[in-house]
Amino acid sequence: MKEIEITKENFESEVLKSDKPVIVDFWAPWCGPCRMLGPVISEIAEEHDEIKVCKVNVDNENDLATQFGVMSIPFVASFKDGQLYKSTVGFQPKEGILELLS
C-alpha cells in the first residue's frame, strides 16, 4: 500500500476515522532527516497492510502541524481509534516507527 497524502480536508476521514492503526509522518521537502526517513516510511507502507501510513507536508498543512504541536520535523505520530497514541521526533529506524503502535 502507498502512503496517503494528508490535508486538512481528508485528515478526519483518513486518520481519525480509520479502522486501522495509523502512522502519520509530518515532514517537509527541505528537511534532510525527513528525506532520510522517507524510504523507511515507504517501506512500512509497502510491508504492513494492517497499518495506514500517511504523510503531512508541514509547509502546505501548517494548521495540522500546529494542531498537533509539531515544533521539529520529522515528527511521526501514531493514532489508534481516532486518538493520538504515541509520537517521536527525528529520524528513527523502522523498528522505532513500528514501536509507536505497540
Side-chain angles (χ1 to χ4, degrees), residues 9-10 30 45 59 78 82 87 93:
E9 287 78 22
N10 70 354
W30 48 263
D59 287 344
S78 62
S87 63

Side-chain angles (χ1 to χ4, degrees), residues 9-83:
E9 287 78 22
N10 70 354
F11 182 81
E12 184 175 349
S13 62
E14 293 291 352
V15 177
L16 299 182
K17 293 185 175 177
S18 176
D19 57 353
K20 299 179 182 182
V22 184
I23 295 279
V24 181
D25 175 22
F26 290 83
W27 71 288
W30 48 263
C31 165
C34 298
R35 290 197 306 271
M36 288 172 46
L37 185 61
V40 175
I41 297 294
S42 295
E43 200 172 291
I44 291 170
E46 297 283 326
E47 294 176 355
H48 294 274
D49 287 338
E50 75 281 9
I51 302 169
K52 187 182 282 192
V53 179
C54 302
K55 294 181 74 78
V56 174
N57 181 328
V58 298
D59 287 344
N60 298 337
E61 299 298 330
N62 196 288
D63 289 347
L64 282 176
T66 301
Q67 181 180 343
F68 292 98
V70 177
M71 301 296 279
S72 297
I73 53 174
F75 177 91
V76 181
S78 62
F79 289 80
K80 289 185 178 182
D81 301 317
Q83 299 294 315

